[in-house]
Amino acid sequence: MPTTAVLLIDCPDRKGLVAAIANFLVDNYDANVLNADQHQDAALGLFFMRVEFETELPCDDAQFRALFAPLATSMNLNWKITFPARPQKVAIFVSHYLHCLADLLHRHQTGELPCELALIVSNHESARPLAEFYGVPFHFTPVTPATRQAVEVQHLELLAANNIDLIVLARYMQILSPRFVEAHPLRIINVHHSFLPAFTGAKPYHAAFARGVKLIGATSHYVTEELDEGPIIEQDVTRVAQSDQLPDLIQKGRDLERLVLSRGVRWHLAHRILSYANKTVIFS
Amino acid sequence: MPTTAVLLIDCPDRKGLVAAIANFLVDNYDANVLNADQHQDAALGLFFMRVEFETELPCDDAQFRALFAPLATSMNLNWKITFPARPQKVAIFVSHYLHCLADLLHRHQTGELPCELALIVSNHESARPLAEFYGVPFHFTPVTPATRQAVEVQHLELLAANNIDLIVLARYMQILSPRFVEAHPLRIINVHHSFLPAFTGAKPYHAAFARGVKLIGATSHYVTEELDEGPIIEQDVTRVAQSDQLPDLIQKGRDLERLVLSRGVRWHLAHRILSYANKTVIFS
Amino acid sequence: MPTTAVLLIDCPDRKGLVAAIANFLVDNYDANVLNADQHQDAALGLFFMRVEFETELPCDDAQFRALFAPLATSMNLNWKITFPARPQKVAIFVSHYLHCLADLLHRHQTGELPCELALIVSNHESARPLAEFYGVPFHFTPVTPATRQAVEVQHLELLAANNIDLIVLARYMQILSPRFVEAHPLRIINVHHSFLPAFTGAKPYHAAFARGVKLIGATSHYVTEELDEGPIIEQDVTRVAQSDQLPDLIQKGRDLERLVLSRGVRWHLAHRILSYANKTVIFS
Amino acid sequence: MPTTAVLLIDCPDRKGLVAAIANFLVDNYDANVLNADQHQDAALGLFFMRVEFETELPCDDAQFRALFAPLATSMNLNWKITFPARPQKVAIFVSHYLHCLADLLHRHQTGELPCELALIVSNHESARPLAEFYGVPFHFTPVTPATRQAVEVQHLELLAANNIDLIVLARYMQILSPRFVEAHPLRIINVHHSFLPAFTGAKPYHAAFARGVKLIGATSHYVTEELDEGPIIEQDVTRVAQSDQLPDLIQKGRDLERLVLSRGVRWHLAHRILSYANKTVIFS
């Protein structure tokens, strides 16, 4: 059975990159390229590439690393190889708004999000029925100011014990500590219910209604130590009708949140996102 | 020949408003309602109404004011009556980017912007050929730090001498003084090349590119003393392609600027905009 | 406790309509207008109005009909009065694609679709777990060419026995007979997975992919005897990426289907839709 | 001074394509790849590639053809090489609606459409002032049923005498003969004022208004012998407001027409469009 792998590269742009990489894959793996996409950041002089290839020859992480290292070093490549055959393990954190969770669970069931949903963590009990219906282990970890630190330790242990690859904050209303964030670089995806960088912080729909914007938005992004400042993965907007009151914005916004969060998770799982300079490249 | 008038009302919401206003128009003018639209702000308890009506009976500004005053006072209405038959006089201010100007001039020529284009004012000579081609008087008023104040006086005189109703800043890159702004409340429309409130101030496309947003926008708004903080009239966005570099954003943005500015001007000319609480109501 | 009612009107446009209706509501019900919206079809000379009002005075269907009839007759009004306090009863028909069903069930649970979900009917067993999880009675009625007529009789009896107000076809892949459709005029909402009138009939995503369109869409509409030809309620589109293959279109389309169907159902339940000339008016 | 070239390829998908092409460019031209984009049609098993490269070595059409032919033959490539340094010559055909023409002329002036505007042809005199203002030779060729054939001969001679590379139909309301179309395969871009394949033929806004669609669109496409059936280049849509009457649709549609036509022309001029199976690939 052939092996499928995804190679992600970012590096200073220079002549001969594509030829060198293409030759490497042909010479070492007689590779069949399933998808390839490349981009540049002209201002920073950077080159980005994603190649998804198939090979009948032996190919695993250690072996690829050994073979590819000399070329990567000589061309100054940042790179990552992944093997989609190993399903990633995902934890979803959620509070009392369940629309994103319900959406992710249904998409997972229909095969749209190929991963193992290993955990649902919540500071409320309200998500338990959905978790049980879809057969995902549910962990109720209520948070108070006094227990915040202990709960976080518990979360870190849960994540480690389950070898979690990706944490999805599906409207999780607790702020993560720097320690937690640093432990999962580019491995936490959040949905913020505004068109970032507009309306950072709490109650963005209220702020949008007060400002009188004519479109509202939602954003999925990687979580970094700066709140709402991480690399943006996806954004979408919808028009505010003149008759819309605040509850209407909140309702319309829920649809945007579902869309941008599920797209972000799907692209992450497909290794289609590369981050640099606090931005993202989304490969097709 | 019948008279057409537009009545704009905002007031505290209360029972019987629509009946009282409708009866007034029937009883005094045997009015034929061409268009009516009403809205509420539930949070602030406000009611907004626009009625465009036609009457065969005598109806002019002074006479309407006299007849309507008692009802308006008793119901605590803020209101305005206008008569579209009198074309509004418009001045366009522009610097060296001419795409919005060219767009407005062509739309005016095709009848999409029913008004009298009385003046084009610029601190550059580059707009002169377009102004002359479309037959609009052109005023070249170069600005230096030393002449800024004198030029502003000159502008104020020009506007007054021409009885200008509306000033359109079609990518005019000079900051207006508080005195100038105060003299024209809700009579200056600007286009800002971002999705406000994101990326206020200078070089918003550069800021958007640096932040890595996935959509860029443009906004038309009334100018108030706070830069980029006035009531938003219209906004639109377009998707950033992964391959887009900064010049691509600037080019895509020009299309958004044309759209949101021309819509704002058209709606203002049709008396379809009402402003309250630093927001706008756009009537259909 | 006050009574809330929604009055929908369509009629030939003429002078004095708004005043007459507003006066009627004030004089008979001392009504507090919660929402009012009116539109015209200039080409056909028609006027459309929706008034949602509250009254402390007695107001029920029979009594309103008696009081309103003389005015309605004299002004040639088509009209309908409804009382939102009585929740409408809804049946959902579904086949093996469950994304719209799962979406409607979650929206109903969160209060976004105020109605009683009385039945889920399917020609497959696959929807049963979702129906049971959300506590909606599930009826498995497999269809073969030989049983088609008998099954339809069974459906009609089920609908009648449950006093169903609205039938939602959430990707129900069976064609309804003229008898079934005629029995439920403007009471069956379907979602078609294309931007109608493009790509009517079977496999619209395949047809869209083959034609090479740059946007795909979905449409919710009332079902009439002509397949895919009923009054359009809502449509939305999304951009096709150059890398999208047919399965990508199908996946993107599912998001559109959810959106347009749920909006259509919500607007219908709020009595915000009026149909005329095989089109719809959507009131705000 | 380096030479810049664009290589467009479509061929059956197979292993080693990218490596072979990349190696060819490195070995023969020590090429610096400025942009590369590739796509697949999985259903048809086709591969599409666009490479824009720069070389300091000698590179012209004849020489490239000679060097590349063996590889192209062995790998069964359809291909095309173009040299952007030679500006393409464009003819615009227009009737009495001038909004697309005015838009194209302004975009050309600002450098957004790098080409030589060689001709404007019209069956009306109304475009003459714009043509003269922007300095483009104007040819008034009125058409009657009796003169249609003679006028077409005149057009063909004009186009040939001016070595026209691309014909843009900017709302040209005359139907082209099969002979004319066949003479310019994939070299005529038309804008149709609907979201194709909906509302082909005459008066699409009227048809859209009558059908009650909730979004209207516009389409730019290559002209083939089947009216409105050629490969679609770009489409866009905008929402119909409930209050919109037919003239509002026509006005909103003009903005869409400008956008989709100008994008189509810009992409064609940048050799970013490849056509196969009556569809287009748009390279980034």
Side-chain angles (χ1 to χ4, degrees):
Chain A
M1 214 179 66
T3 304
T4 299
V6 175
L7 176 63
L8 283 175
I9 292 170
D10 72 294
C11 61
D13 200 4
R14 52 178 285 179
K15 265 189 208 174
L17 274 167
V18 171
I21 294 161
N23 286 334
F24 172 85
L25 294 175
V26 168
D27 296 347
N28 290 277
Y29 293 108
D30 189 27
N32 185 22
V33 173
L34 303 175
N35 268 297
D37 194 20
Q38 58 221 55
H39 290 286
Q40 290 162 295
D41 184 313
L44 298 179
L46 295 175
F47 174 82
F48 312 104
M49 189 175 193
R50 180 187 185 274
V51 188
E52 186 175 350
F53 65 93
E54 207 178 59
T55 177
E56 302 279 350
L57 299 178
C59 180
D60 66 28
D61 194 72
Q63 184 246 28
F64 187 94
R65 301 185 83 78
L67 285 176
F68 194 58
L71 176 64
T73 305
S74 76
M75 288 199 141
N76 211 3
L77 312 181
N78 292 313
W79 63 283
K80 203 171 104 172
I81 184 87
T82 52
F83 297 87
R86 186 185 76 77
Q88 293 169 78
K89 300 187 74 180
V90 174
I92 303 178
F93 282 54
V94 67
S95 293
H96 50 285
Y97 296 119
L98 303 181
H99 54 285
C100 285
L101 175 68
D103 183 68
L104 292 170
L105 288 167
H106 181 73
R107 288 180 197 267
H108 179 259
Q109 191 181 54
T110 60
E112 199 177 305
L113 301 175
C115 65
E116 181 188 338
L117 285 185
L119 300 175
I120 293 172
V121 174
S122 183
N123 54 330
H124 293 270
E125 276 285 12
S126 48
R128 186 184 293 278
L130 272 171
E132 291 179 351
F133 176 64
Y134 284 100
V136 184
F138 180 74
H139 296 263
F140 170 50
T141 55
V143 182
T144 67
T147 63
R148 187 175 307 280
Q149 288 212 324
V151 168
E152 186 179 288
V153 170
Q154 200 183 337
H155 288 167
L156 289 168
E157 286 168 0
L158 254 178
L159 296 168
N162 284 276
N163 297 309
I164 295 300
D165 295 292
L166 175 67
I167 300 162
V168 179
L169 307 182
R171 297 295 310 270
Y172 183 60
M173 312 303 270
Q174 302 289 322
I175 291 186
L176 306 177
S177 78
R179 176 180 56 167
F180 190 98
V181 173
E182 275 165 41
H184 307 92
L186 300 175
R187 295 182 147 208
I188 311 174
I189 296 180
N190 183 43
V191 60
H192 183 74
H193 38 310
S194 84
F195 182 81
L196 288 177
F199 309 122
T200 55
K203 295 203 173 292
Y205 293 129
H206 292 71
F209 187 70
R211 181 63 184 93
V213 290
K214 300 302 186 186
L215 299 160
I216 53 165
T219 303
S220 59
H221 64 93
Y222 286 118
V223 175
T224 57
E225 287 164 62
E226 305 266 353
L227 187 68
D228 302 333
E229 295 288 343
I232 291 170
I233 300 172
E234 172 63 336
Q235 305 190 287
D236 216 335
V237 296
T238 197
R239 197 157 275 277
V240 175
Q242 186 55 59
S243 56
D244 284 341
Q245 305 297 320
L246 178 55
D248 301 303
L249 298 199
I250 292 170
Q251 182 192 275
K252 285 183 168 183
R254 283 199 296 260
D255 283 326
L256 297 174
E257 295 163 32
R258 280 184 267 243
L259 290 174
V260 299
L261 182 59
S262 63
R263 285 181 204 146
V265 172
R266 193 169 69 242
W267 298 343
H268 181 96
L269 292 174
H271 309 291
R272 286 177 49 193
I273 315 179
L274 186 155
S275 179
Y276 79 102
N278 205 40
K279 303 164 67 165
T280 60
V281 177
I282 310 294
F283 293 102
S284 64
Chain B
M1 211 181 64
T3 304
T4 299
V6 176
L7 176 62
L8 282 175
I9 291 171
D10 72 295
C11 62
D13 200 4
R14 53 178 286 179
K15 266 189 209 175
L17 273 167
V18 171
I21 295 161
N23 287 334
F24 172 86
L25 294 176
V26 169
D27 295 349
N28 291 277
Y29 293 108
D30 188 28
N32 186 21
V33 172
L34 303 176
N35 268 297
D37 193 20
Q38 57 221 57
H39 290 284
Q40 289 163 296
D41 184 312
L44 298 179
L46 295 175
F47 175 82
F48 312 104
M49 189 175 193
R50 179 186 185 276
V51 189
E52 185 174 351
F53 65 93
E54 205 178 62
T55 177
E56 301 279 351
L57 299 177
C59 180
D60 66 28
D61 193 73
Q63 184 247 26
F64 188 93
R65 302 186 81 80
L67 285 176
F68 194 58
L71 176 63
T73 305
S74 77
M75 289 200 141
N76 211 4
L77 313 181
N78 292 313
W79 63 284
K80 203 171 105 173
I81 184 86
T82 51
F83 297 87
R86 184 185 77 77
Q88 293 168 76
K89 299 185 74 179
V90 175
I92 303 178
F93 282 54
V94 68
S95 293
H96 50 285
Y97 296 118
L98 302 181
H99 55 284
C100 285
L101 176 68
D103 183 68
L104 292 169
L105 289 167
H106 181 73
R107 287 180 197 268
H108 180 259
Q109 191 181 53
T110 61
E112 198 177 306
L113 302 174
C115 67
E116 181 188 337
L117 285 185
L119 299 176
I120 294 172
V121 174
S122 183
N123 53 330
H124 293 270
E125 278 284 11
S126 47
R128 186 184 293 277
L130 272 171
E132 291 180 350
F133 177 64
Y134 285 99
V136 183
F138 179 75
H139 296 262
F140 170 51
T141 55
V143 182
T144 66
T147 64
R148 187 173 309 279
Q149 288 214 323
V151 168
E152 185 179 289
V153 170
Q154 200 183 337
H155 288 167
L156 288 168
E157 287 168 0
L158 253 179
L159 296 168
N162 285 276
N163 297 308
I164 295 300
D165 295 290
L166 174 67
I167 299 162
V168 179
L169 307 183
R171 298 295 308 273
Y172 183 60
M173 312 302 271
Q174 302 288 323
I175 292 187
L176 306 178
S177 78
R179 175 178 58 168
F180 189 99
V181 173
E182 275 166 42
H184 306 93
L186 301 175
R187 295 184 147 207
I188 310 175
I189 297 180
N190 183 42
V191 60
H192 183 73
H193 38 311
S194 84
F195 183 81
L196 288 177
F199 310 121
T200 54
K203 296 204 174 290
Y205 293 128
H206 292 69
F209 186 71
R211 181 63 185 91
V213 292
K214 300 302 185 185
L215 299 159
I216 54 165
T219 304
S220 59
H221 64 93
Y222 286 119
V223 175
T224 58
E225 287 164 62
E226 306 266 352
L227 187 67
D228 302 331
E229 296 288 342
I232 291 170
I233 300 171
E234 172 65 334
Q235 303 189 288
D236 216 333
V237 296
T238 198
R239 197 156 275 276
V240 175
Q242 185 56 59
S243 56
D244 284 342
Q245 306 298 321
L246 179 55
D248 302 302
L249 299 200
I250 292 171
Q251 182 191 276
K252 285 182 168 184
R254 284 199 296 260
D255 284 325
L256 297 174
E257 296 163 33
R258 280 184 267 242
L259 289 173
V260 298
L261 181 59
S262 63
R263 287 182 203 145
V265 171
R266 192 169 69 242
W267 298 343
H268 180 98
L269 292 175
H271 309 289
R272 287 177 49 195
I273 314 179
L274 186 154
S275 178
Y276 79 102
N278 205 41
K279 301 163 69 164
T280 60
V281 178
I282 309 294
F283 293 103
S284 64
Chain C
M1 214 180 65
T3 303
T4 299
V6 175
L7 177 63
L8 283 175
I9 291 171
D10 71 296
C11 62
D13 200 5
R14 53 179 284 181
K15 264 189 210 176
L17 273 167
V18 172
I21 294 161
N23 287 335
F24 172 85
L25 294 175
V26 169
D27 295 348
N28 291 276
Y29 292 108
D30 190 27
N32 186 22
V33 172
L34 303 175
N35 268 297
D37 194 20
Q38 59 222 54
H39 289 285
Q40 291 162 295
D41 184 313
L44 298 179
L46 295 175
F47 175 82
F48 313 104
M49 188 173 195
R50 179 187 184 274
V51 189
E52 185 174 352
F53 65 93
E54 205 178 61
T55 176
E56 301 280 348
L57 299 177
C59 180
D60 65 27
D61 194 73
Q63 184 247 29
F64 187 94
R65 301 186 80 79
L67 285 176
F68 194 59
L71 176 63
T73 305
S74 77
M75 289 199 140
N76 211 4
L77 311 183
N78 293 313
W79 62 282
K80 201 171 105 173
I81 185 84
T82 53
F83 297 86
R86 185 185 78 77
Q88 293 168 75
K89 300 186 75 179
V90 174
I92 304 179
F93 281 54
V94 67
S95 293
H96 51 285
Y97 296 119
L98 302 181
H99 54 284
C100 285
L101 175 68
D103 183 68
L104 292 170
L105 288 168
H106 181 74
R107 288 179 196 267
H108 179 259
Q109 191 180 54
T110 61
E112 200 177 304
L113 301 175
C115 65
E116 182 189 336
L117 286 185
L119 301 174
I120 293 172
V121 174
S122 184
N123 52 331
H124 294 268
E125 276 285 11
S126 48
R128 186 184 294 277
L130 272 171
E132 290 179 352
F133 177 65
Y134 285 100
V136 183
F138 179 75
H139 296 263
F140 171 51
T141 55
V143 183
T144 65
T147 64
R148 188 175 308 280
Q149 287 213 324
V151 169
E152 185 178 287
V153 170
Q154 199 182 339
H155 288 169
L156 288 168
E157 286 168 0
L158 254 178
L159 296 169
N162 285 275
N163 297 307
I164 295 301
D165 295 292
L166 175 67
I167 299 162
V168 179
L169 308 183
R171 298 295 310 272
Y172 184 61
M173 312 302 270
Q174 302 288 324
I175 291 188
L176 306 177
S177 78
R179 175 180 58 165
F180 190 99
V181 172
E182 273 166 42
H184 306 93
L186 300 175
R187 296 183 146 207
I188 310 174
I189 297 180
N190 183 44
V191 60
H192 183 74
H193 38 311
S194 84
F195 182 82
L196 288 177
F199 309 122
T200 54
K203 296 203 174 289
Y205 293 129
H206 292 70
F209 187 70
R211 181 62 183 92
V213 291
K214 300 303 185 185
L215 299 159
I216 53 165
T219 303
S220 59
H221 64 93
Y222 287 119
V223 175
T224 58
E225 286 164 64
E226 305 266 353
L227 186 68
D228 303 329
E229 296 288 344
I232 291 170
I233 300 172
E234 172 64 336
Q235 303 189 287
D236 216 335
V237 296
T238 197
R239 197 157 275 278
V240 175
Q242 186 55 60
S243 56
D244 285 340
Q245 305 297 321
L246 178 55
D248 302 302
L249 298 201
I250 293 170
Q251 183 191 274
K252 285 182 167 183
R254 284 198 296 261
D255 284 325
L256 297 174
E257 295 163 32
R258 280 185 267 243
L259 290 173
V260 299
L261 181 59
S262 63
R263 287 182 202 143
V265 172
R266 192 168 70 245
W267 298 344
H268 181 96
L269 292 175
H271 309 290
R272 286 176 50 194
I273 314 179
L274 188 154
S275 179
Y276 78 103
N278 205 40
K279 302 165 68 164
T280 61
V281 177
I282 309 294
F283 292 102
S284 64
Chain D
M1 214 180 66
T3 303
T4 298
V6 175
L7 176 62
L8 283 174
I9 291 171
D10 72 294
C11 61
D13 200 4
R14 53 178 285 180
K15 264 191 213 175
L17 274 167
V18 172
I21 295 161
N23 287 334
F24 172 85
L25 294 176
V26 169
D27 295 348
N28 292 277
Y29 292 109
D30 189 27
N32 186 23
V33 172
L34 303 175
N35 268 296
D37 194 19
Q38 58 221 57
H39 290 285
Q40 289 163 294
D41 184 312
L44 298 180
L46 296 176
F47 174 83
F48 313 105
M49 189 175 194
R50 179 188 185 274
V51 189
E52 186 175 352
F53 66 93
E54 205 178 64
T55 177
E56 300 280 349
L57 299 177
C59 180
D60 65 28
D61 194 74
Q63 183 249 26
F64 187 94
R65 302 184 81 79
L67 285 177
F68 194 58
L71 176 63
T73 305
S74 76
M75 290 199 139
N76 210 4
L77 312 181
N78 292 312
W79 63 282
K80 201 170 106 173
I81 184 86
T82 52
F83 297 87
R86 185 185 76 78
Q88 292 167 77
K89 300 186 77 179
V90 175
I92 303 178
F93 281 55
V94 67
S95 292
H96 51 287
Y97 296 119
L98 303 181
H99 53 285
C100 285
L101 175 68
D103 183 68
L104 293 170
L105 288 168
H106 182 72
R107 288 180 197 266
H108 179 259
Q109 191 181 54
T110 61
E112 200 177 305
L113 301 174
C115 66
E116 181 187 339
L117 286 184
L119 301 174
I120 294 173
V121 173
S122 184
N123 53 330
H124 293 269
E125 276 285 10
S126 47
R128 185 184 294 278
L130 272 171
E132 290 179 351
F133 176 64
Y134 285 100
V136 183
F138 180 76
H139 296 262
F140 171 50
T141 55
V143 182
T144 66
T147 64
R148 187 173 308 279
Q149 288 214 324
V151 168
E152 186 179 285
V153 170
Q154 199 183 340
H155 288 167
L156 288 169
E157 287 168 358
L158 254 179
L159 296 168
N162 286 276
N163 297 308
I164 294 301
D165 295 290
L166 175 67
I167 299 161
V168 179
L169 308 182
R171 299 294 310 272
Y172 183 61
M173 312 303 269
Q174 301 288 323
I175 292 187
L176 306 177
S177 78
R179 175 179 59 165
F180 189 98
V181 172
E182 274 166 43
H184 306 92
L186 300 175
R187 296 185 147 207
I188 310 174
I189 297 180
N190 183 43
V191 60
H192 184 74
H193 38 312
S194 86
F195 182 82
L196 288 177
F199 309 123
T200 53
K203 295 202 176 290
Y205 293 129
H206 292 70
F209 187 71
R211 181 63 184 92
V213 291
K214 300 302 185 185
L215 298 159
I216 53 164
T219 303
S220 59
H221 64 94
Y222 286 118
V223 175
T224 58
E225 286 164 64
E226 305 267 351
L227 187 67
D228 302 331
E229 296 288 344
I232 291 171
I233 300 172
E234 172 64 336
Q235 303 189 289
D236 216 335
V237 296
T238 197
R239 197 157 274 277
V240 174
Q242 185 56 61
S243 55
D244 284 341
Q245 306 297 321
L246 179 55
D248 302 301
L249 299 200
I250 293 170
Q251 183 191 273
K252 285 183 168 185
R254 283 198 296 259
D255 283 326
L256 297 174
E257 296 163 32
R258 280 184 267 242
L259 289 174
V260 300
L261 181 59
S262 63
R263 286 182 203 144
V265 172
R266 193 169 69 244
W267 298 343
H268 181 96
L269 293 175
H271 308 290
R272 287 176 49 194
I273 315 179
L274 186 154
S275 179
Y276 78 103
N278 205 40
K279 302 165 68 164
T280 60
V281 178
I282 309 294
F283 293 102
S284 65

